[in-house]
């Protein structure tokens, strides 16, 4: 989050369009922040996008396109790995952007497999909200405090509930309730 993933995805797909390729951005139906018909980066860049609820739908929508961008790919079901492999084997260029770790600092969805099978991987870093260092972790905050480890994984929010953090500033959520007397 906040690392410029969507910005980079848009940049690459635009270049494909400039090169005369038919390009399409698909985002998971779960991610409805900002704008349903577009993929929008935190910095404000946007590109027309369609939503898909399942990886089977991704495969159907991608048919006939030369280049396909998948935004927030961690939110798709596990079938997304096979769907991407099928597209790549057909000669489609696939650019997938996703969050590698969830707010618990655990591997997120199909991302570990995708990172493993991808020809090219660019790991982008965000800026730590606390110290300004390089951030690779996502701090989830509830009422300004680290969210508990067992909280819901999927809660797409804005700046007030998630922060990019470096490893030193990341605060793991506790699993136990603290009762103060
Ligand atoms: Zn930091």
């Amino acid at each position: 989050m906040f690392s410029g993933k969507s910005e980079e995805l848009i940049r690459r797909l635009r270049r494909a369009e400039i090169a005369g390729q038919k390009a399409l951005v698909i985002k998971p139906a779960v991610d409805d922040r900002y704008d349903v018909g577009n993929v929008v980066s935190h910095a404000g860049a946007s590109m027309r996008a369609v939503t898909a609820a399942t990886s089977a739908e991704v495969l159907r929508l991608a048919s006939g396109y030369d280049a396909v961008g998948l935004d927030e790919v961690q939110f798709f079901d596990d079938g997304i790995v096979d769907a991407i492999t099928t597209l790549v084997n057909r000669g489609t260029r696939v650019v997938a952007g996703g969050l590698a770790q969830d707010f618990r600092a655990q591997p997120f969805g199909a991302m570990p497999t995708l990172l493993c099978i991808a020809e090219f991987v660019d790991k982008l870093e965000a800026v730590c909200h606390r110290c300004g260092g390089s951030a690779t972790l996502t701090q989830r905050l509830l009422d300004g405090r680290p969210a508990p480890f067992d909280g819901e994984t999927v809660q797409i929010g804005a700046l007030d509930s998630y922060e990019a953090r470096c490893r030193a500033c990341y605060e793991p959520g506790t699993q136990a309730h603290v009762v103060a007397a």
Side-chain angles (χ1 to χ4, degrees), residues 12-68:
R12 293 187 186 202
L13 270 289
R14 282 211 195 291
R15 284 181 63 87
E17 280 185 333
I18 291 165
Q21 296 188 323
K22 229 182 136 196
L24 177 71
V25 175
I26 305 174
K27 60 182 189 176
V30 66
D31 184 6
D32 60 357
R33 63 184 172 174
Y34 305 124
D35 192 340
V36 175
N38 291 284
V39 56
V40 182
S41 75
H42 286 286
S46 75
M47 190 171 174
R48 177 183 40 82
V50 295
T51 57
T54 64
S55 51
E57 204 177 342
V58 167
L59 211 47
R60 188 176 58 75
L61 290 166
S63 176
Y65 285 89
D66 306 305
V68 172

Side-chain angles (χ1 to χ4, degrees), residues 128 130-133 165-166 168-169:
C128 177
R130 278 260 169 101
C131 74
R165 294 274 182 99
C166 72
C169 295

